[in-house]
Amino acid sequence: MKQETAEQWQLFTELLSKINSYNEAVSLMAWDLRTGAPKKGVQTRSETIGLLSTEAFKLQTSSEMGAYLSYLNHATVINELSETQRRIVLETQEEYDRSVKIPAQKYREYTELTAHAETLWEDFKENGDFAGFEPYLTQIVAKTQEFIDYWGPKDTRYDTLLHMYEPDLTVEKVDQVFGQLRDRLVPLVDKIKATNKKPDTAFLKQLYDKEQQEKFGIFLLEQIGYDFEAGRVDESVHPFEITLNQGDVRITTHYLQDDVTSAVFSSLHEGGHALYEQNISPELARTPIGQGASMGIHESQSRLWENFIGRSRQFWERFYGDLQQHFPEQLKDITVDQFYPAINAVENSLIRIEADELTYNLHIIIRYEIEKKIFNEGLPVSELPKVWNEKYSSYLGLTPPNDSLGVLQDVHWSGGLFGYFPSYALGNMYAAQIVNTLRKELPQFEGFIAEGNFTPIKEWLTNKIYKYGKSLRPSEIILKVTGEELNPDYLAEYLEEKYKAIYGI
Amino acid sequence: MKQETAEQWQLFTELLSKINSYNEAVSLMAWDLRTGAPKKGVQTRSETIGLLSTEAFKLQTSSEMGAYLSYLNHATVINELSETQRRIVLETQEEYDRSVKIPAQKYREYTELTAHAETLWEDFKENGDFAGFEPYLTQIVAKTQEFIDYWGPKDTRYDTLLHMYEPDLTVEKVDQVFGQLRDRLVPLVDKIKATNKKPDTAFLKQLYDKEQQEKFGIFLLEQIGYDFEAGRVDESVHPFEITLNQGDVRITTHYLQDDVTSAVFSSLHEGGHALYEQNISPELARTPIGQGASMGIHESQSRLWENFIGRSRQFWERFYGDLQQHFPEQLKDITVDQFYPAINAVENSLIRIEADELTYNLHIIIRYEIEKKIFNEGLPVSELPKVWNEKYSSYLGLTPPNDSLGVLQDVHWSGGLFGYFPSYALGNMYAAQIVNTLRKELPQFEGFIAEGNFTPIKEWLTNKIYKYGKSLRPSEIILKVTGEELNPDYLAEYLEEKYKAIYGI
């Protein structure tokens, strides 16, 4: 590397570290707002988050950054860089090009608004108060629409949002894979219904002591290899994973007193996200590629640990005894043969995060269709409860009795995360495709799970996916790991095989 | 106010708010490091704290700030301002003059070092590992010495540090009031010893369930009027109060399983700090005067609630029954007549934060003398354990068996807080003097405590002290409230009266 390039590289990475420091502070403030910050401090806190996010934003779009990029991202210079360095430059360039179009003041208003709305959402959800939430959501949508104008709409306006979370994805492609998946899952759901079999799930809904749930959740996280010296577990209304820095990857869980499975599976879900983040190569730390490749790939890892491993027969052959020990009263008469179908019972339900693996995808399709309507057809926010309820009634045969169990259930929109939901279903598809390869390359996969030996699985995933962080694009990862492009048939096959066995069809 | 002044004022307060936002983020990161941040994230976190503190520091010392100050703090302009506005300008000027002398890079190194050392201190203390701590402390002292050179030494080098925490204080004055106090307290301690009375304190040292301690602590905080909607209570190795913003004033407690009083009195102590911060006039928020007047005045309020109220006979006549209900087994045979002398037993001990009200001041004098030796006589850090142990042996007749119970016991030095310790004894003196006036103006003072009715006391303190924040200097407050300057005799009289009654001398 030439002397001048080395100097520019040094200054460039110092600026990246600085931006990263702002992001760490903002993430901690966001974590804190969701895990117990007092109400009366929220207004000032939101302003503080807005201000510091804006400072980071200004650095990201500064003329200094522009100058480093135009020097480093130049044909004659970029070849002096290592592959990792090149990827850092290209990713930074992409973020720069996107951010530089948004005026800093607009960005600040947006972050203050969403930080505030996210906190208020808890109460609105609690009270089913959509009318209270509506003015906030209306503003968030309006500001997001403005951002789309700044960025310039892609094929459709909603494509611009999708692209933020899954860079290689289009509405056209999502319509196609969601359609393909639906065509195989709907007949499966119908067949299951036709059996009239309903696994007994009543025992899952007894009173389960919260502290015991917490202990068991932590036990499972230890088993799968979550590093407690590089993270911590807290409680929040909506479970989430958040990375403050590479040595501080936090997760939260929400405990339901009358449902033992909710916290178990959300711990495994967020634990999956955290395993990804904790195992990104340290050399990528404090750069824009020191994070997951995309929301879809991230969700593939949470889904993989939650569902493909956590809801498997082998997993509970190993851990059901431990669960019984935590709840001897509640589970004394229940065998693993009753427990396994119960946690995999297919039933149309109102709440996305408690849905089974099969119908879950319908919850996503509903949100995807509504988001498309908002941004591509101008659906007003005031009509969301009506449209939401109609779609639940038509796709799942259920009408939410109130907005707490309906349109207010998810935190995402209050945080401005439009275009994010499809990642969940995409994550399921990626996960199925990855597990298909994993099984071939690690033939003892099921055996390892049955032994509770997750080290080989975690290592395989680290070597194939985790360590790369965002230095590969999602389409590159899926091709490199599985040898083919995203293919929804793997998910369909996995679900067909699994549910045929459970329901004997 | 002239148009131009109004414009300058607007820009000036916007800059103050911005600095305040950085401070909020840094405070949250510090709070988080002490309440459970994972180890592997500490290194990066310290860098982040260093970076953001430095950004705040740069804003504070910016040419922009210099320009606003030279406009606003000018004879022809300052008269256009309200009294509060004038105080904001003067306080900002004082901070500016002090900070502008320190190069930003030096400041950053210092904050990174202390953030890191503060976190490591927990382990060093735990393991009594002074050798491990020594290199950090040596660096902190060296950097503090450099800062003194930048600021310019006052009467003595140590005066410069004292001045940071108590602007009107000098070594000469501290030597005098500490001397005056010691001359009255030493004979009192001797008389107490001569009685050979030792209140039974064994029952305080039984096994006390942590969760019950936590519940009782929260109950007491509710009673004294700590606003839980504007704060939260957590656990940390060393209890502290920290203000993130006016609606977010947090405290921590440390629970000892074998000592029921430690958490009770530290809750009242930190609660006292928090009452002060929660009741500063909202119009001072996000300015440099939206905080306590000085460390000494702050400590007077924690001491007032912890000792003058919390260790009074009346307080326990009201609340001992509640304590018994929390620990029916441990306290079933103990009456309030046994409990009251037990929590006020005078006994020389090794640990400052567990010392009685009387000998506590000796712990402070030891630290004060050692700090003077470090900065005025160049005592090397390596000799601290020796000097510490000698002083404890000579003043308190006890030699620490290890450095955990000796020189490593306090967090302050790891955070660079040299010059802070005298505030504690000063706080005791201020508190006694304030309570003397309070009793005259609110003759039912003892009656209110006995009823558990703290509202009139809190209101009196709010109107006389809390609401002013830092808009008055400590010497102004003490004069305004009590009609005279700091006078250590009030503390001596209070202690003599109290202990004569308890020990029958």
Side-chain angles (χ1 to χ4, degrees), chain B residues 234-254:
Chain B
D234 293 85
E235 201 180 344
S236 66
V237 175
H238 194 91
F240 64 94
E241 177 275 319
I242 195 165
T243 301
L244 304 182
N245 65 50
Q246 278 210 341
D248 192 350
V249 176
R250 304 186 179 189
I251 59 182
T252 67
T253 311
H254 182 63

PDB file of all heavy atoms in Angstrom, chain B residues 234-254:
ATOM      1  N   ASP B 234     -31.117   0.344  41.038  1.00  0.00           N
ATOM      2  CA  ASP B 234     -30.389  -0.848  40.612  1.00  0.00           C
ATOM      3  C   ASP B 234     -29.354  -1.230  41.653  1.00  0.00           C
ATOM      4  O   ASP B 234     -29.219  -0.574  42.682  1.00  0.00           O
ATOM      5  CB  ASP B 234     -29.721  -0.584  39.261  1.00  0.00           C
ATOM      6  CG  ASP B 234     -30.745  -0.413  38.156  1.00  0.00           C
ATOM      7  OD1 ASP B 234     -31.248   0.715  37.976  1.00  0.00           O
ATOM      8  OD2 ASP B 234     -31.068  -1.405  37.502  1.00  0.00           O
ATOM      9  N   GLU B 235     -28.620  -2.281  41.349  1.00  0.00           N
ATOM     10  CA  GLU B 235     -27.595  -2.760  42.266  1.00  0.00           C
ATOM     11  C   GLU B 235     -26.217  -2.508  41.655  1.00  0.00           C
ATOM     12  O   GLU B 235     -26.029  -2.643  40.443  1.00  0.00           O
ATOM     13  CB  GLU B 235     -27.780  -4.263  42.458  1.00  0.00           C
ATOM     14  CG  GLU B 235     -27.127  -4.755  43.715  1.00  0.00           C
ATOM     15  CD  GLU B 235     -27.315  -6.251  43.921  1.00  0.00           C
ATOM     16  OE1 GLU B 235     -28.194  -6.845  43.268  1.00  0.00           O
ATOM     17  OE2 GLU B 235     -26.557  -6.806  44.727  1.00  0.00           O
ATOM     18  N   SER B 236     -25.275  -2.119  42.484  1.00  0.00           N
ATOM     19  CA  SER B 236     -23.895  -1.967  42.011  1.00  0.00           C
ATOM     20  C   SER B 236     -22.958  -2.222  43.174  1.00  0.00           C
ATOM     21  O   SER B 236     -23.383  -2.246  44.332  1.00  0.00           O
ATOM     22  CB  SER B 236     -23.672  -0.557  41.443  1.00  0.00           C
ATOM     23  OG  SER B 236     -23.774   0.400  42.470  1.00  0.00           O
ATOM     24  N   VAL B 237     -21.679  -2.418  42.882  1.00  0.00           N
ATOM     25  CA  VAL B 237     -20.709  -2.697  43.946  1.00  0.00           C
ATOM     26  C   VAL B 237     -20.652  -1.536  44.932  1.00  0.00           C
ATOM     27  O   VAL B 237     -20.647  -1.736  46.142  1.00  0.00           O
ATOM     28  CB  VAL B 237     -19.308  -2.937  43.339  1.00  0.00           C
ATOM     29  CG1 VAL B 237     -18.267  -3.097  44.445  1.00  0.00           C
ATOM     30  CG2 VAL B 237     -19.323  -4.177  42.454  1.00  0.00           C
ATOM     31  N   HIS B 238     -20.631  -0.337  44.392  1.00  0.00           N
ATOM     32  CA  HIS B 238     -20.547   0.865  45.217  1.00  0.00           C
ATOM     33  C   HIS B 238     -21.816   1.671  44.938  1.00  0.00           C
ATOM     34  O   HIS B 238     -22.073   1.994  43.788  1.00  0.00           O
ATOM     35  CB  HIS B 238     -19.300   1.649  44.779  1.00  0.00           C
ATOM     36  CG  HIS B 238     -18.897   2.706  45.743  1.00  0.00           C
ATOM     37  ND1 HIS B 238     -18.014   2.469  46.766  1.00  0.00           N
ATOM     38  CD2 HIS B 238     -19.239   4.001  45.833  1.00  0.00           C
ATOM     39  CE1 HIS B 238     -17.839   3.588  47.450  1.00  0.00           C
ATOM     40  NE2 HIS B 238     -18.567   4.534  46.899  1.00  0.00           N
ATOM     41  N   PRO B 239     -22.622   1.985  45.957  1.00  0.00           N
ATOM     42  CA  PRO B 239     -23.866   2.712  45.679  1.00  0.00           C
ATOM     43  C   PRO B 239     -23.583   4.124  45.155  1.00  0.00           C
ATOM     44  O   PRO B 239     -22.607   4.742  45.559  1.00  0.00           O
ATOM     45  CB  PRO B 239     -24.540   2.801  47.055  1.00  0.00           C
ATOM     46  CG  PRO B 239     -23.848   1.817  47.918  1.00  0.00           C
ATOM     47  CD  PRO B 239     -22.460   1.671  47.375  1.00  0.00           C
ATOM     48  N   PHE B 240     -24.427   4.594  44.247  1.00  0.00           N
ATOM     49  CA  PHE B 240     -24.268   5.956  43.753  1.00  0.00           C
ATOM     50  C   PHE B 240     -25.588   6.497  43.229  1.00  0.00           C
ATOM     51  O   PHE B 240     -26.542   5.746  43.007  1.00  0.00           O
ATOM     52  CB  PHE B 240     -23.198   6.016  42.651  1.00  0.00           C
ATOM     53  CG  PHE B 240     -23.544   5.241  41.395  1.00  0.00           C
ATOM     54  CD1 PHE B 240     -24.153   5.868  40.312  1.00  0.00           C
ATOM     55  CD2 PHE B 240     -23.269   3.883  41.302  1.00  0.00           C
ATOM     56  CE1 PHE B 240     -24.469   5.153  39.149  1.00  0.00           C
ATOM     57  CE2 PHE B 240     -23.588   3.160  40.151  1.00  0.00           C
ATOM     58  CZ  PHE B 240     -24.190   3.804  39.077  1.00  0.00           C
ATOM     59  N   GLU B 241     -25.629   7.825  43.056  1.00  0.00           N
ATOM     60  CA  GLU B 241     -26.757   8.493  42.402  1.00  0.00           C
ATOM     61  C   GLU B 241     -26.202   9.074  41.130  1.00  0.00           C
ATOM     62  O   GLU B 241     -25.068   9.578  41.118  1.00  0.00           O
ATOM     63  CB  GLU B 241     -27.296   9.602  43.319  1.00  0.00           C
ATOM     64  CG  GLU B 241     -28.434  10.440  42.760  1.00  0.00           C
ATOM     65  CD  GLU B 241     -27.989  11.611  41.887  1.00  0.00           C
ATOM     66  OE1 GLU B 241     -26.998  12.284  42.226  1.00  0.00           O
ATOM     67  OE2 GLU B 241     -28.622  11.842  40.843  1.00  0.00           O
ATOM     68  N   ILE B 242     -26.960   9.010  40.048  1.00  0.00           N
ATOM     69  CA  ILE B 242     -26.511   9.613  38.795  1.00  0.00           C
ATOM     70  C   ILE B 242     -27.712  10.215  38.079  1.00  0.00           C
ATOM     71  O   ILE B 242     -28.776   9.602  38.020  1.00  0.00           O
ATOM     72  CB  ILE B 242     -25.760   8.592  37.904  1.00  0.00           C
ATOM     73  CG1 ILE B 242     -24.976   9.301  36.799  1.00  0.00           C
ATOM     74  CG2 ILE B 242     -26.694   7.556  37.316  1.00  0.00           C
ATOM     75  CD1 ILE B 242     -23.939   8.401  36.120  1.00  0.00           C
ATOM     76  N   THR B 243     -27.533  11.431  37.595  1.00  0.00           N
ATOM     77  CA  THR B 243     -28.624  12.117  36.918  1.00  0.00           C
ATOM     78  C   THR B 243     -28.396  12.055  35.417  1.00  0.00           C
ATOM     79  O   THR B 243     -27.383  12.547  34.929  1.00  0.00           O
ATOM     80  CB  THR B 243     -28.675  13.581  37.375  1.00  0.00           C
ATOM     81  OG1 THR B 243     -28.868  13.601  38.790  1.00  0.00           O
ATOM     82  CG2 THR B 243     -29.813  14.327  36.695  1.00  0.00           C
ATOM     83  N   LEU B 244     -29.328  11.423  34.709  1.00  0.00           N
ATOM     84  CA  LEU B 244     -29.215  11.359  33.252  1.00  0.00           C
ATOM     85  C   LEU B 244     -29.903  12.575  32.638  1.00  0.00           C
ATOM     86  O   LEU B 244     -29.371  13.231  31.772  1.00  0.00           O
ATOM     87  CB  LEU B 244     -29.799  10.065  32.723  1.00  0.00           C
ATOM     88  CG  LEU B 244     -29.169   8.810  33.340  1.00  0.00           C
ATOM     89  CD1 LEU B 244     -29.760   7.558  32.729  1.00  0.00           C
ATOM     90  CD2 LEU B 244     -27.668   8.786  33.160  1.00  0.00           C
ATOM     91  N   ASN B 245     -31.106  12.846  33.120  1.00  0.00           N
ATOM     92  CA  ASN B 245     -31.743  14.128  32.837  1.00  0.00           C
ATOM     93  C   ASN B 245     -32.700  14.406  33.989  1.00  0.00           C
ATOM     94  O   ASN B 245     -32.817  13.578  34.901  1.00  0.00           O
ATOM     95  CB  ASN B 245     -32.409  14.141  31.447  1.00  0.00           C
ATOM     96  CG  ASN B 245     -33.569  13.175  31.317  1.00  0.00           C
ATOM     97  OD1 ASN B 245     -34.484  13.147  32.147  1.00  0.00           O
ATOM     98  ND2 ASN B 245     -33.546  12.356  30.274  1.00  0.00           N
ATOM     99  N   GLN B 246     -33.380  15.548  33.973  1.00  0.00           N
ATOM    100  CA  GLN B 246     -34.179  15.907  35.157  1.00  0.00           C
ATOM    101  C   GLN B 246     -35.312  14.924  35.431  1.00  0.00           C
ATOM    102  O   GLN B 246     -35.805  14.838  36.553  1.00  0.00           O
ATOM    103  CB  GLN B 246     -34.719  17.322  35.013  1.00  0.00           C
ATOM    104  CG  GLN B 246     -33.674  18.354  35.399  1.00  0.00           C
ATOM    105  CD  GLN B 246     -34.296  19.614  35.951  1.00  0.00           C
ATOM    106  OE1 GLN B 246     -35.487  19.887  35.740  1.00  0.00           O
ATOM    107  NE2 GLN B 246     -33.508  20.388  36.667  1.00  0.00           N
ATOM    108  N   GLY B 247     -35.709  14.191  34.421  1.00  0.00           N
ATOM    109  CA  GLY B 247     -36.757  13.194  34.624  1.00  0.00           C
ATOM    110  C   GLY B 247     -36.184  11.795  34.781  1.00  0.00           C
ATOM    111  O   GLY B 247     -36.917  10.810  34.696  1.00  0.00           O
ATOM    112  N   ASP B 248     -34.881  11.702  34.985  1.00  0.00           N
ATOM    113  CA  ASP B 248     -34.246  10.380  35.050  1.00  0.00           C
ATOM    114  C   ASP B 248     -33.051  10.426  36.005  1.00  0.00           C
ATOM    115  O   ASP B 248     -31.908  10.538  35.595  1.00  0.00           O
ATOM    116  CB  ASP B 248     -33.819   9.954  33.641  1.00  0.00           C
ATOM    117  CG  ASP B 248     -33.426   8.477  33.563  1.00  0.00           C
ATOM    118  OD1 ASP B 248     -33.306   7.833  34.627  1.00  0.00           O
ATOM    119  OD2 ASP B 248     -33.244   7.981  32.439  1.00  0.00           O
ATOM    120  N   VAL B 249     -33.386  10.340  37.290  1.00  0.00           N
ATOM    121  CA  VAL B 249     -32.402  10.477  38.365  1.00  0.00           C
ATOM    122  C   VAL B 249     -32.280   9.112  39.049  1.00  0.00           C
ATOM    123  O   VAL B 249     -33.151   8.706  39.802  1.00  0.00           O
ATOM    124  CB  VAL B 249     -32.867  11.557  39.366  1.00  0.00           C
ATOM    125  CG1 VAL B 249     -31.907  11.659  40.540  1.00  0.00           C
ATOM    126  CG2 VAL B 249     -33.020  12.911  38.674  1.00  0.00           C
ATOM    127  N   ARG B 250     -31.210   8.394  38.736  1.00  0.00           N
ATOM    128  CA  ARG B 250     -31.103   6.997  39.177  1.00  0.00           C
ATOM    129  C   ARG B 250     -30.242   6.825  40.420  1.00  0.00           C
ATOM    130  O   ARG B 250     -29.307   7.578  40.633  1.00  0.00           O
ATOM    131  CB  ARG B 250     -30.491   6.157  38.044  1.00  0.00           C
ATOM    132  CG  ARG B 250     -31.291   6.282  36.795  1.00  0.00           C
ATOM    133  CD  ARG B 250     -30.822   5.371  35.689  1.00  0.00           C
ATOM    134  NE  ARG B 250     -31.698   5.582  34.550  1.00  0.00           N
ATOM    135  CZ  ARG B 250     -31.724   4.850  33.456  1.00  0.00           C
ATOM    136  NH1 ARG B 250     -30.905   3.836  33.337  1.00  0.00           N
ATOM    137  NH2 ARG B 250     -32.574   5.124  32.493  1.00  0.00           N
ATOM    138  N   ILE B 251     -30.562   5.800  41.175  1.00  0.00           N
ATOM    139  CA  ILE B 251     -29.708   5.463  42.306  1.00  0.00           C
ATOM    140  C   ILE B 251     -29.416   3.966  42.307  1.00  0.00           C
ATOM    141  O   ILE B 251     -30.134   3.183  41.675  1.00  0.00           O
ATOM    142  CB  ILE B 251     -30.313   5.884  43.658  1.00  0.00           C
ATOM    143  CG1 ILE B 251     -31.669   5.231  43.894  1.00  0.00           C
ATOM    144  CG2 ILE B 251     -30.450   7.391  43.745  1.00  0.00           C
ATOM    145  CD1 ILE B 251     -32.303   5.661  45.205  1.00  0.00           C
ATOM    146  N   THR B 252     -28.358   3.598  42.983  1.00  0.00           N
ATOM    147  CA  THR B 252     -28.051   2.174  43.150  1.00  0.00           C
ATOM    148  C   THR B 252     -27.792   1.882  44.620  1.00  0.00           C
ATOM    149  O   THR B 252     -27.502   2.774  45.410  1.00  0.00           O
ATOM    150  CB  THR B 252     -26.802   1.729  42.369  1.00  0.00           C
ATOM    151  OG1 THR B 252     -25.650   2.365  42.942  1.00  0.00           O
ATOM    152  CG2 THR B 252     -26.890   2.102  40.896  1.00  0.00           C
ATOM    153  N   THR B 253     -27.929   0.614  44.944  1.00  0.00           N
ATOM    154  CA  THR B 253     -27.676   0.141  46.304  1.00  0.00           C
ATOM    155  C   THR B 253     -26.825  -1.113  46.215  1.00  0.00           C
ATOM    156  O   THR B 253     -26.793  -1.760  45.175  1.00  0.00           O
ATOM    157  CB  THR B 253     -29.007  -0.196  47.010  1.00  0.00           C
ATOM    158  OG1 THR B 253     -29.901   0.889  46.835  1.00  0.00           O
ATOM    159  CG2 THR B 253     -28.814  -0.411  48.490  1.00  0.00           C
ATOM    160  N   HIS B 254     -26.142  -1.401  47.296  1.00  0.00           N
ATOM    161  CA  HIS B 254     -25.404  -2.659  47.377  1.00  0.00           C
ATOM    162  C   HIS B 254     -25.962  -3.425  48.569  1.00  0.00           C
ATOM    163  O   HIS B 254     -26.045  -2.880  49.667  1.00  0.00           O
ATOM    164  CB  HIS B 254     -23.909  -2.362  47.560  1.00  0.00           C
ATOM    165  CG  HIS B 254     -23.070  -3.586  47.595  1.00  0.00           C
ATOM    166  ND1 HIS B 254     -22.973  -4.436  46.516  1.00  0.00           N
ATOM    167  CD2 HIS B 254     -22.300  -4.125  48.565  1.00  0.00           C
ATOM    168  CE1 HIS B 254     -22.169  -5.440  46.828  1.00  0.00           C
ATOM    169  NE2 HIS B 254     -21.751  -5.274  48.064  1.00  0.00           N
TER     170      HIS B 254
END
